[in-house]
Amino acid sequence: MSAPERIPSRSVTTADPAAAELLARGELTVRGRIREASNAALYCTVTHEGREAACVYKPVAGERPLWDFPDGTLAGREVAAYEVSQATGWGLVPPTVLRDGPYGQGMCQLWIETAPGAELLALVDGEEPGPGWKAIGFAEADEGRTALLVHADDERLRRLAVLDAVINNADRKGGHLLPTAEGRLYGIDHGVTFNAEDKLRTLLWGWAGEPLTGEAVGVLEALRSALTAAGAVTAALAPLITPAEIDATRARVESLLTTGVHPLPGTEWPAIPWPPV
């Protein structure tokens, strides 16, 4: 994403326990619009008790209706993705809250500055990925040339692939991957998630069919416990998505633990989002 007049956060990081409170309680000031976004997305600052951070505010009023996501709001789904990410302990989604703002209720998310030159995706010649890369599929390159689309064989991406399988992310594009100078990786734009039907569309198919890591299994077991009727994650999701979507999330976690492998692409829905970046 690009934004006008970028404003650095003052002593606020994604790991700061007070980041969510700052986003929720601070004064929100719109600085500009992020024009690449398909729905209204505003670049803002939020200030509270001497602290200030840059953030993204997406008002519900600026959402375009989607026939296949008729329930709830995109903003609610963005916050739900953050709640599940927090429950994994991986911290893959920037702090995100649901709050009132200058244009009504919407989601507010801490702005992430990305590291230039961090390669996570590439187009390569040949039919097999090189060392350190996983194949996604073939794509049209420049001048009609067909090339192999690959993503990095990176444990951060692998964790994100597991998270996407849990939240049923229907739009994991390359532009939604934000690596930072500190070595962290964040995923953003989770408005089309949690559908009760299988709609997983992602660029992160490199591990499809491969066994889940021991770490991922442990995380999923903890998620299963937190998604029981009285679980903490169920309580966090209840105001954000429908009961049927919570049940489907619970079922996806159970399926991952039962099969023990990363999911395979479905056949009733395009497996790769377009455009991929």
Side-chain angles (χ1 to χ4, degrees), residues 80-114:
Y82 168 69
E83 293 291 350
V84 174
S85 169
Q86 287 299 98
T88 66
W90 286 332
L92 294 168
V93 179
T96 312
V97 302
L98 197 64
R99 59 161 292 167
D100 286 328
Y103 299 101
Q105 189 180 62
M107 84 86 168
C108 187
Q109 184 176 83
L110 195 68
W111 180 268
I112 301 297
E113 289 291 345
T114 59

Side-chain angles (χ1 to χ4, degrees), residues 14-264:
T14 55
D16 191 337
E21 180 184 11
L22 171 63
L23 292 171
R25 300 182 59 189
E27 181 180 355
L28 202 58
T29 302
V30 176
R31 302 293 183 180
R33 182 171 182 176
I34 302 167
R35 299 192 179 278
E36 298 94 329
S38 55
N39 294 281
L42 304 173
Y43 181 71
C44 303
T45 53
V46 60
T47 56
H48 181 65
E49 295 183 348
R51 308 185 83 191
E52 181 177 70
C55 61
V56 178
Y57 162 54
K58 297 182 181 180
V60 172
E63 296 179 2
R64 298 178 182 178
L66 297 175
W67 67 268
D68 52 344
F69 285 83
D71 300 316
T73 65
L74 304 186
R77 296 173 190 280
E78 295 246 29
V79 180
Y82 168 69
E83 293 291 350
V84 174
S85 169
Q86 287 299 98
T88 66
W90 286 332
L92 294 168
V93 179
T96 312
V97 302
L98 197 64
R99 59 161 292 167
D100 286 328
Y103 299 101
Q105 189 180 62
M107 84 86 168
C108 187
Q109 184 176 83
L110 195 68
W111 180 268
I112 301 297
E113 289 291 345
T114 59
E119 284 197 60
L120 297 174
L121 298 168
L123 280 170
V124 299
D125 294 321
E127 297 186 356
E128 297 292 336
W133 295 91
K134 305 288 281 187
I136 303 168
F138 290 96
E140 291 295 324
D142 55 308
E143 299 179 355
R145 179 175 61 93
T146 299
L148 183 64
L149 182 61
V150 298
H151 66 68
D153 188 2
D154 186 309
E155 68 174 5
R156 301 170 302 170
L157 287 179
R158 191 165 191 172
R159 290 170 178 168
L160 194 58
V162 174
L163 177 65
D164 282 345
V166 170
I167 67 176
N168 198 16
N169 192 349
D171 194 34
R172 174 61 73 206
K173 296 178 179 176
H176 302 164
L177 305 173
L178 305 184
T180 72
E182 296 76 29
R184 297 291 302 270
L185 176 71
Y186 296 97
I188 61 167
D189 286 352
H190 297 107
V192 286
T193 50
F194 293 100
N195 201 297
E197 298 180 8
D198 180 16
K199 292 187 180 290
L200 183 60
R201 291 198 308 169
T202 176
L203 286 177
L204 305 180
W205 288 118
W207 297 281
E210 293 187 14
L212 296 167
T213 65
E215 177 194 46
V217 170
V219 164
L220 290 167
E221 288 174 342
L223 262 183
R224 176 168 59 187
S225 297
L227 279 165
T228 59
V233 174
T234 298
L237 296 182
L240 303 169
I241 59 178
T242 68
E245 289 165 340
I246 294 175
D247 287 343
T249 303
R250 191 177 293 125
R252 288 190 295 271
V253 171
E254 194 63 43
S255 177
L256 287 166
L257 286 169
T258 299
T259 64
V261 299
H262 287 266
L264 295 167

